[in-house]
Amino acid sequence: MNRHAVVALALLGCGGARLDEVARPEPLVAEVAAPAPAPRRTPRGTVRSNILRADYAGSAACGDCHAAIHASWETSPMRRMTRGERAIAAPFDGSELRLGTDRATMEERDGVRYVHVRSPADGDRRYRVTKVIGGRSREDYVGVDVAGGGDEQVLPVSFMLGTRTWRYKGYSLVISEHARLRPQASWSRTCVACHNTIPQVSLLHAAVLGGSPGTYQATYTDNQLPPDRTSRLVAADEAGLAAAISAEVTRIGGVPAARGSLSGALIHGARETRRHLGEADFVELGVGCESCHNGAAEHAADPDVAPAFELRSPLVRTVPAPSRAQAINRACARCHTLLVSVYPWTWEGGKRADRVPGGSTVNSSEGRDFLLGGCASQMSCATCHDPHAQSPRVRYEQLADSDGNATCTTCHPALAAPDALRAHTHHAPGEGSACVGCHMPRKNLGLAYELTRYHRIGSPTDDARVLGDRPVECALCHRDRSVADLVGTMERWWGKRYDRDRLRAQYGDLAANALAATLARGKPHEQAVAIGVLGDRGTRADVPALAPHLAHPYPQVRYFAKRAIEKLTGAPLPIDVGLPAAEVAAQVRRWLATTPSPS
């Protein structure tokens, strides 16, 4: 193991443990398993400054010492988050996507890819694709109007890699039906901060202000966390910070603020950054090492000076100072905090407009959700996720089995013994007694129309979950049980008592099946969860109950219904659920009329 790898391992892990000391079926970082490891080194100190442009060295500076980690990271989804158009996997072969009366054709001419949009309302436009974003579940695209020029824009089409189909980009979120294929925004003013490496001095305005003057996602801010879980970034040198922001604004081609207060400099800096920041101002295209580790030029010059996940500078300080795990988690949450959708509802019966909303219901929110839960001060995201590679699926399957409980019993040793585990879960070891099964249930809407784990670690018996969310989380495994049966069992086993009037307001008849009542009465994200569970645990007899949701007002729910029906029938469903709801409903009626009744 080389000297930089030792420093890196000392910065990751669960509580005070090193990454390779936390119990797990296999090491997460390739270099952990290298033969004849060198003795551990104690870093002489931590970088003094990691927020200014001069503090960044670029990922190439990391490869000489961190060779194995660097090689793994180079091919990872994180690194490949933003790429040049030559890296596109989707076929630009004349395929068409229709949305309302608009049509998009994906074409390739002389090796150049185009998205050709024809719209009765907006006219005929052809966009030359310049970049591709993502590539694990889907590809999104950036392009320039061939005739009109102007900014690179986020194009309105996505290619779903699992199904090899085209889809309107906006339908990755829970939004209502749309009818236009318009480019959604200027690329450099929206998603660039999460998908590329940018100095933190260009992103910290809102965090220091304590509010948002139209900032980017990926800022160092605890987005709508309760006060007792919030860290603040405060100015340690107001004049110095104002000067640094003005210098960076000038560097990217903006107009520096007139002399005045720090708040004025921050507001002006945020606005000028939004106007002028472009690709030429990135540290590098894509997610580089310093997207997470922050500026590491000091570390690159002297490996005995460790990099830091928290922002460090004589100009700013974090209050309260985070634990090691908290610093890692906040570095992840800068991007994994998706609360930008107009969809109003969150988990725990919350709303996005609330001062402290509940957990998010969709993919890419895991960082903030984890910070809301019970383990975020001692356990880091890197305990389960390899930040330098795409962890194999088997890794997560092992964590979701009772053998994976060793990750949790590192901090909860009293539950390690089989008898203690059985008493805690009321399930036999190996039969519903995996920690993550109950404390991180599959109830979030993944990009590939599969349910993913909710990362707010808590108990399925919490009042907010039982009385605020549908379905009762025990129904995610026990799909045949009534609300009364599930709630009564929780009360008997764990000494709880739940308000029956509030449960009736949620489900109506408590004798009803919890999933069926959720399909009938739930919010759209709750209905999608019930649909996903039936797709995994149901039978062909459930298809008639799922079919109406193919024309749901929220298209993302339609895609979950289509995926569930295809799993239950074992055949592709010949219905384009991206079309207008009336057309989809007509297709569903024809399909049901020609499909044999399930036995």
Side-chain angles (χ1 to χ4, degrees), residues 347-349 443 460-488 490 498-523 525-527 529-530 533:
W347 287 124
E348 292 82 47
K443 57 184 280 185
T461 66
D462 289 346
D463 281 4
R465 296 193 182 197
V466 176
L467 301 175
D469 295 336
R470 287 166 291 208
V472 176
E473 288 181 3
C474 295
L476 302 180
C477 290
H478 302 282
R479 53 91 53 191
D480 58 337
R481 303 293 182 86
S482 71
V483 178
D485 185 11
L486 294 171
V487 172
M490 287 193 289
Y498 300 106
D499 186 322
R500 290 305 191 272
D501 288 338
R502 290 183 62 183
L503 286 167
R504 288 189 187 92
Q506 288 279 79
Y507 294 97
D509 184 359
L510 299 188
N513 176 275
L515 292 181
T518 300
L519 280 178
R521 300 169 61 94
K523 301 181 181 77
H525 69 277
E526 295 169 334
Q527 292 174 317
V529 172
V533 172

Side-chain angles (χ1 to χ4, degrees), residues 158 264 269 308 319 328 389-390 461 464 505 508-509 538 573 576:
S158 295
V319 180
I328 296 170
Q390 181 171 337
T461 66
D509 184 359
L573 182 61
D576 182 354

Side-chain angles (χ1 to χ4, degrees), residues 166-507:
W166 292 94
R167 191 204 63 193
Y168 175 55
K169 182 188 183 307
Y171 290 164
S172 61
L173 299 173
V174 190
I175 62 173
S176 58
E177 183 177 286
H178 281 43
R180 299 283 180 82
L181 281 171
R182 292 172 172 168
Q184 298 181 344
S186 170
W187 173 67
S188 65
R189 293 176 176 83
T190 50
C191 51
V192 292
C194 279
H195 296 161
N196 301 281
T197 312
I198 299 171
Q200 280 294 316
V201 69
S202 291
L203 305 174
L204 54 71
H205 311 95
V208 180
L209 279 168
S212 176
T215 188
Y216 293 91
Q217 196 173 351
T219 58
Y220 189 85
T221 181
D222 287 1
N223 192 336
Q224 296 176 299
L225 291 173
D228 63 343
R229 292 177 181 265
T230 299
S231 288
R232 295 180 298 113
L233 196 65
V234 301
D237 176 354
E238 291 194 3
L241 182 58
I245 291 169
S246 289
E248 182 63 16
V249 165
T250 302
R251 161 68 177 71
I252 66 174
V255 178
R259 289 198 170 196
S261 66
L262 174 61
S263 62
L266 290 165
I267 293 170
H268 179 82
R271 290 172 178 166
E272 287 294 288
T273 300
R274 178 74 73 167
R275 292 189 184 107
H276 297 284
L277 183 73
E279 184 178 346
D281 306 307
F282 300 170
V283 175
E284 57 192 286
L285 191 72
V287 177
C289 303
E290 291 163 306
S291 289
C292 304
H293 292 277
N294 301 309
E298 289 182 65
H299 172 65
D302 182 354
D304 286 335
V305 176
F309 288 100
E310 71 273 22
L311 301 195
R312 286 179 173 265
S313 171
L315 306 177
V316 295
R317 57 192 175 90
T318 304
V319 180
S323 68
R324 179 192 309 159
Q326 288 171 328
I328 296 170
N329 297 336
R330 280 173 167 76
C332 298
R334 291 205 296 257
C335 290
H336 291 268
T337 298
L338 187 61
L339 281 175
V340 297
S341 170
V342 296
Y343 183 69
W345 294 293
T346 63
W347 287 124
E348 292 82 47
K351 291 185 176 180
R352 295 190 192 284
D354 293 346
R355 169 62 185 88
V356 181
S360 186
T361 61
V362 296
N363 191 79
S364 299
S365 60
E366 301 86 354
R368 174 183 171 273
D369 289 346
F370 186 64
L371 288 171
L372 288 170
C375 301
S377 64
Q378 294 297 315
M379 188 168 85
S380 82
C381 303
T383 304
C384 298
H385 297 277
D386 185 349
H388 303 117
Q390 181 171 337
S391 297
R393 186 177 182 86
V394 66
R395 163 67 182 149
Y396 299 118
E397 292 172 350
Q398 290 167 335
L399 284 168
D401 187 85
S402 56
D403 290 341
N405 289 354
T407 300
C408 301
T409 56
T410 299
C411 291
H412 302 279
L415 299 176
D419 287 345
L421 182 63
R422 183 182 292 106
H424 176 67
T425 65
H426 296 273
H427 290 72
E431 298 178 7
S433 58
C435 299
V436 301
C438 293
H439 296 286
M440 297 180 66
R442 290 189 186 278
K443 57 184 280 185
N444 272 29
L445 311 187
L447 296 175
Y449 317 129
E450 299 280 356
L451 297 176
T452 61
R453 295 205 178 276
Y454 181 37
H455 277 60
R456 182 174 190 167
I457 296 179
S459 172
T461 66
D462 289 346
D463 281 4
R465 296 193 182 197
V466 176
L467 301 175
D469 295 336
R470 287 166 291 208
V472 176
E473 288 181 3
C474 295
L476 302 180
C477 290
H478 302 282
R479 53 91 53 191
D480 58 337
R481 303 293 182 86
S482 71
V483 178
D485 185 11
L486 294 171
V487 172
T489 300
M490 287 193 289
E491 290 178 329
R492 187 171 66 255
W493 283 355
W494 288 290
K496 304 283 288 188
R497 180 65 187 169
Y498 300 106
D499 186 322
R500 290 305 191 272
D501 288 338
R502 290 183 62 183
L503 286 167
R504 288 189 187 92
Q506 288 279 79
Y507 294 97

Side-chain angles (χ1 to χ4, degrees), residues 51-63:
I51 68 171
L52 303 178
R53 184 172 294 276
D55 298 330
Y56 286 75
S59 297
C62 306

Side-chain angles (χ1 to χ4, degrees), residues 91-110:
F92 278 65
D93 57 0
S95 300
E96 272 199 351
L97 173 70
R98 181 159 71 89
L99 193 74
T101 57
D102 289 4
R103 294 177 183 272
T105 306
M106 277 53 75
E107 309 167 336
E108 183 173 344
R109 298 183 180 182
D110 300 324

